Amino acid sequence: MIDLKNDLNPAQWEAVSHTEGPVLVIAGAGSGKTRTIVYRLAHLVQNGVSPENILLLTFTRKAAQQMQDRAGLLLGGRLAGVMGGTFHAFAFAMLRRFPGALNEAGRVSIMDQSDSQNALRDIKSDLNLGKGDRSFPKKSTVMGLISKSRNKELAINVVLQNEAFHMLRYEEEIEQLSKAYAVFKKRHGLYDYDDLLFGLERLLRDFEPARDYAKARFKYIMVDEFQDTNLVQARIVKLLGGQAGNVMAVGDDAQSIYAFRGANVHNILSFDQMFEGTKLIRLEQNYRSTQPILDLTNALLEQAELKIRKHLFTERTDSNKPQLVRTISDRSQAQAVVSKILEFGRSYPLHEVAVLFRAGYQSYALEVALNKLGIKFQKFGGIRFTEAAHIRDALSFLRLVQNPSDLPAWQRVMDHAKGVGPKTCAKIFAAVMDGDEKALAAACKRNQEIKDVLDFLDSLRTQKPQPAALLALVLEFYQPILEKKFADDYPRRQSGLEQLQRIAAGYDNLDGFLGDISLENPEQEKDKDLEETLVLSTVHSAKGLEWSAVAIIDLVQDRFPSRHALQRAEDLEEERRLLYVACTRAKDRLALFVPSVIYNQFNGSNEPALESPFLSELPLNTYEAWRESYSGGLSQVNSGPPRSPEAPTLPSGPSAPGKAPTGSGLDPSLLGYCRHKIFGRGKIVATAGEGKYRINFPGFGLKVILADYLEME
């Protein structure tokens, strides 16, 4: 017999033993969610429930199999007969069981991703859309937009407005493709992955034999990661469970971070409205992090607009509070993070240390710094700095300033020119090397784009070899190339180029800049030298993982939260949850990095950074405040930092002299809350010029308001 009370904490035991009626288990980070599901599976079978009457829905087949294997071990054998797997796999099985129920041909044929994209390509050709337009979105991009539209149940126009504004000019064509694609699937009796979910919903809703079968067979339903379900998945669970069936949903509203895939946090927040008589159980005992880390994450969630209240606690007491480190600038942040990594490395193997960031490009400066010191790292989410095509394109122009005989660089800068292939490029290279002006003139006469590149390279060589100044000229020349070559996602790549400009600003000579950028981190074979390998990861890629020590970088507005998230209140709240996920990856040590100023590539100056609003809300007693000194070290400051994210302005230029800054200073008495007639109550986060304040209004986001229109609390 399984000793539930001995093996589980009281909340876990309550969740496992509550088997009748709907139950929502809010499983805080590190609270033993999987253990709870495994024990409930075993408990049901041990108490006479047939495995065939259990349905376990997860987001990966591997997760479902592992849960069943672990439950089988508890029962002393193999657990067979449970229907377990993903929503899509379950949908496919049900549709196969009732062929022809939806008035299609008597079988279900599934298109994989490649099939779908190829069908879309053929439809585009038949409709004669985008012919000769090199900027027209790729088939994979169009497919992604159609899929998002379906999963979020939003019009194509809304998806484009919210997530791909730069492609709005193709709205009509994408709409046409979406409608033609739907007709194509229906004509040929085909389903893609999204159709499986909507097909299952129709089957359960409209076909009584299927509904009766599901009701008779699946008497106990368990859904893992319920916060990641989309609207149709929630409706499927409702159809399977009925009004008050034996449905257990497990998840954490505070870890709902996949809205871009269609996940809807309101599914878990409104579970008790979907199922009458829902019992709510909170798993709040954390087995991963120390209490000081949990104190900070609890305070972070306390400010959330929509939430199911919980308070994480642990038996792991510790004297190390999280550290909030303010660096001089975003340029100096990388070195400060390296110092912190080396400090962590004295207590933990490198694979137990991770640096997390909101977007992949944000680690570029850190990658350069790690490469210089020979510190090995693995990167998850986003691509390595030196592997990004747009970064390599921009650097190729500078490489040719430094070394005109660099053939690979010639191939990259000529790659975008229409009609220039490897052979033509080789001829141009040979003419340049031989000083054959006649051949170059002939090539320029035949092709204006060749002339543009050669003239631009000539102009670059007349400039002083200052990396930041040269790169600014390159990026101006490269912008139209970027928009044409990477039409689908150039705004995202633009951020990477801006980061490259920040890195360049820290160098006085071109040789040093290109040398450091070109240093490659040696690739490790899988599972080899793992003990010596630091982890760099986006927060999304880090979900479900944990490390002894974690550093989170770029905690300023426009980076974390992202620029896009500042436009809508619900997006800003998801960014809060994303930061919560990042912080709860840490077991023992947590460091949060806030650059005080940001280098502006457009005017070559340093500008005050606005601290992430989530940090401004944290009580001072939840962290230690540290600052980077102008000598390069980190030191703890006695009192907490001012509530203002305003920072000193540093001299502009590639390298700032070692001169202490003079603060602009916001009167601490003005910080706090205020009221506005239209936007309601808000929190002042910064000054924004004389007589103006930047205020975070829940539901409306950040606004700059004249003081005359505010009522101070």
Side-chain angles (χ1 to χ4, degrees):
M1 294 290 289
I2 304 168
D3 188 351
L4 293 181
K5 286 197 173 183
N6 189 49
D7 291 354
L8 305 168
N9 68 38
Q12 290 172 334
W13 176 82
E14 185 181 14
V16 167
S17 58
H18 187 89
T19 57
E20 304 303 314
V23 58
L24 174 62
V25 179
I26 296 297
S31 62
K33 166 183 73 75
T34 303
R35 182 181 182 83
T36 302
I37 295 173
V38 166
Y39 269 78
R40 192 173 193 264
L41 264 176
H43 177 65
L44 285 170
V45 174
Q46 184 177 264
N47 282 272
V49 174
S50 169
E52 291 191 353
N53 294 140
I54 301 172
L55 173 63
L56 173 62
L57 293 171
T58 63
F59 277 83
T60 67
R61 184 172 56 184
K62 183 180 178 183
Q65 191 57 56
Q66 286 178 341
M67 289 176 188
Q68 291 178 71
D69 291 345
R70 285 174 58 181
L73 288 174
L74 288 175
L75 294 166
R78 186 170 173 271
L79 180 59
V82 172
M83 173 72 88
T86 65
F87 276 89
H88 292 85
F90 174 63
F92 184 49
M94 285 291 290
L95 290 167
R96 285 182 62 195
R97 178 170 285 275
F98 297 96
L102 300 180
N103 297 321
E104 276 116 0
R107 56 192 175 80
V108 177
S109 296
I110 306 298
M111 305 167 73
D112 62 20
Q113 193 173 49
S114 177
D115 293 333
S116 298
Q117 291 181 13
N118 289 338
L120 207 59
R121 177 200 62 203
D122 296 339
I123 293 166
K124 174 174 167 275
S125 177
D126 291 343
L127 294 175
N128 202 27
L129 294 175
K131 194 171 184 181
D133 183 356
R134 295 178 69 183
S135 298
F136 195 87
K138 297 172 187 167
K139 60 185 181 182
S140 58
T141 301
V142 176
M143 195 71 251
L145 290 168
I146 292 172
S147 182
K148 274 188 181 182
S149 172
R150 296 208 69 200
N151 279 299
K152 294 189 173 190
E153 300 183 31
L154 295 171
I156 292 285
N157 172 268
V158 177
V159 173
L160 290 172
Q161 289 275 6
N162 292 343
E163 301 184 36
F165 191 81
H166 63 289
M167 282 192 277
L168 266 172
R169 59 185 168 140
Y170 294 114
E171 177 193 339
E172 191 177 325
E173 291 91 336
I174 295 171
E175 285 275 15
Q176 276 185 267
L177 286 170
S178 177
K179 290 173 182 174
Y181 176 62
V183 170
F184 171 87
K185 288 184 294 180
K186 190 167 185 180
R187 185 191 309 133
H188 296 283
L190 296 168
Y191 274 42
D192 62 18
Y193 290 141
D194 298 328
D195 295 322
L196 287 171
L197 298 179
F198 289 98
L200 175 59
E201 180 188 21
R202 283 194 293 138
L203 184 73
L204 294 172
R205 186 190 62 212
D206 302 337
F207 193 60
E208 193 172 349
R211 189 167 58 249
D212 292 344
Y213 165 81
K215 190 175 180 181
R217 177 170 175 184
F218 304 118
K219 299 183 184 300
Y220 295 88
I221 300 161
M222 286 187 278
V223 187
D224 187 23
E225 305 283 16
F226 196 75
Q227 79 278 353
D228 293 336
T229 55
N230 61 21
L231 292 170
V232 68
Q233 286 168 330
R235 294 196 297 268
I236 287 168
V237 173
K238 172 70 175 171
L239 286 166
L240 288 167
Q243 199 63 31
N246 298 326
V247 177
M248 183 176 89
V250 183
D252 182 4
D253 57 297
Q255 294 188 70
S256 180
I257 60 173
Y258 294 115
F260 65 92
R261 293 182 189 167
N264 193 316
V265 68
H266 293 282
N267 288 345
I268 194 167
L269 293 173
S270 61
F271 185 85
D272 60 341
Q273 296 168 33
M274 266 196 289
F275 295 98
E276 290 180 5
T278 292
K279 182 174 182 60
L280 175 64
I281 299 172
R282 297 176 176 87
L283 303 186
E284 296 174 298
Q285 184 168 357
N286 179 283
Y287 294 93
R288 176 188 299 151
S289 306
T290 62
Q291 192 59 51
I293 291 173
L294 297 181
D295 290 341
L296 183 142
T297 58
N298 285 334
L300 187 64
L301 289 186
E302 191 60 34
Q303 301 296 326
E305 289 296 306
L306 295 171
K307 60 181 179 289
I308 297 175
R309 287 192 174 276
K310 59 178 169 296
H311 188 85
L312 298 182
F313 67 92
T314 182
E315 296 174 357
R316 296 193 63 216
T317 56
D318 192 279
S319 60
N320 289 311
K321 284 186 177 182
Q323 297 177 339
L324 196 153
V325 184
R326 287 179 170 81
T327 65
I328 293 171
S329 70
D330 56 347
R331 287 182 281 157
S332 66
Q333 177 183 236
Q335 196 53 54
V337 174
V338 168
S339 298
K340 187 59 63 178
I341 289 166
L342 294 175
E343 177 192 323
F344 288 155
R346 289 193 285 271
S347 302
Y348 310 105
L350 265 184
H351 75 275
E352 275 296 319
V353 179
V355 180
L356 306 182
F357 31 86
R358 175 66 181 82
Y361 75 86
Q362 291 172 311
S363 70
Y364 288 172
L366 179 59
E367 290 177 46
V368 173
L370 293 170
N371 283 333
K372 286 172 71 173
L373 292 175
I375 298 175
K376 298 177 181 178
F377 64 85
Q378 300 179 77
K379 185 174 180 181
F380 303 103
I383 58 177
R384 286 170 180 263
F385 181 47
T386 51
E387 292 173 355
H390 53 295
I391 299 295
R392 294 169 70 189
D393 285 352
L395 289 173
S396 291
F397 288 96
L398 299 187
R399 284 166 55 186
L400 289 175
V401 172
Q402 181 198 41
N403 175 17
S405 62
D406 185 339
L407 178 58
W410 276 107
Q411 290 167 336
R412 289 203 76 87
V413 300
M414 287 294 179
D415 179 59
H416 77 279
K418 193 173 182 181
V420 179
K423 287 182 180 179
T424 304
C425 183
K427 288 177 183 176
I428 294 168
F429 174 72
V432 170
M433 290 299 97
D434 296 339
D436 189 345
E437 295 293 337
K438 192 178 287 187
L440 289 174
C444 291
K445 191 173 182 180
R446 286 193 303 270
N447 190 326
Q448 180 63 39
E449 291 187 29
I450 293 175
K451 185 178 188 304
D452 292 343
V453 171
L454 293 177
D455 288 348
F456 177 64
L457 287 170
D458 285 341
S459 70
L460 280 184
R461 294 191 186 97
T462 66
Q463 305 294 321
K464 290 181 180 179
Q466 290 284 344
L470 286 173
L471 188 57
L473 293 171
V474 168
L475 296 185
E476 184 180 348
F477 179 82
Y478 183 65
Q479 185 65 31
I481 300 170
L482 176 78
E483 293 181 14
K484 184 189 286 186
K485 188 173 180 180
F486 305 104
D488 294 14
D489 66 346
Y490 76 82
R492 179 181 63 82
R493 293 176 186 267
Q494 186 74 53
S495 300
L497 292 170
E498 290 171 9
Q499 184 72 349
L500 179 64
Q501 183 73 1
R502 294 183 194 107
I503 297 168
Y507 288 83
D508 290 319
N509 66 82
L510 188 58
D511 288 349
F513 172 61
L514 290 176
D516 286 349
I517 290 290
S518 301
L519 283 170
E520 285 288 350
N521 182 278
E523 292 283 352
Q524 287 84 45
E525 292 181 37
K526 256 189 175 177
D527 300 327
K528 279 194 176 181
D529 299 326
L530 211 55
E531 298 274 329
E532 301 174 16
T533 306
L534 174 74
V535 175
L536 307 182
S537 178
T538 60
V539 182
H540 284 101
S541 297
K543 189 172 182 290
L545 304 176
E546 60 183 41
W547 295 272
S548 295
V550 169
I552 307 170
I553 64 173
D554 270 355
L555 286 164
V556 293
Q557 287 185 32
D558 285 356
R559 298 193 192 174
F560 204 152
S562 70
R563 191 175 306 168
H564 171 76
L566 295 172
Q567 308 304 314
R568 299 193 306 163
E570 58 263 42
D571 292 338
L572 192 61
E573 283 304 294
E574 177 153 322
E575 296 286 304
R576 179 192 300 280
R577 298 193 293 269
L578 197 61
L579 181 56
Y580 166 80
V581 168
C583 292
T584 54
R585 300 310 96 198
K587 293 191 283 188
D588 304 330
R589 302 289 301 277
L590 175 63
L592 310 171
F593 284 82
V594 184
S596 298
V597 298
I598 298 294
Y599 180 77
N600 186 324
Q601 73 170 72
F602 299 107
N603 58 24
S605 66
N606 293 287
E607 298 177 349
L610 286 174
E611 181 177 290
S612 173
F614 312 130
L615 300 183
S616 303
E617 297 167 352
L618 292 175
L620 297 178
N621 63 1
T622 58
Y623 59 85
E624 294 176 355
W626 288 67
R627 282 196 183 279
E628 180 191 12
S629 69
Y630 276 76
S631 61
L634 301 178
S635 57
Q636 188 173 356
V637 291
N638 293 328
S639 60
R643 292 289 74 198
S644 167
E646 293 277 43
T649 302
L650 297 180
S652 64
S655 56
K659 178 183 172 187
T662 56
S664 56
L666 174 67
D667 183 352
S669 67
L670 293 177
L671 290 165
Y673 291 88
C674 62
R675 290 189 177 275
H676 185 269
K677 284 185 178 180
I678 296 174
F679 302 120
R681 189 171 188 257
K683 182 171 179 61
I684 302 171
V685 297
T687 56
E690 188 175 349
K692 291 186 286 188
Y693 298 97
R694 190 178 295 272
I695 303 158
N696 188 22
F697 291 102
F700 296 96
L702 291 164
K703 305 286 181 186
V704 174
I705 306 287
L706 285 166
D708 293 345
Y709 293 90
L710 298 172
E711 180 187 342
M712 302 295 179
E713 289 192 0

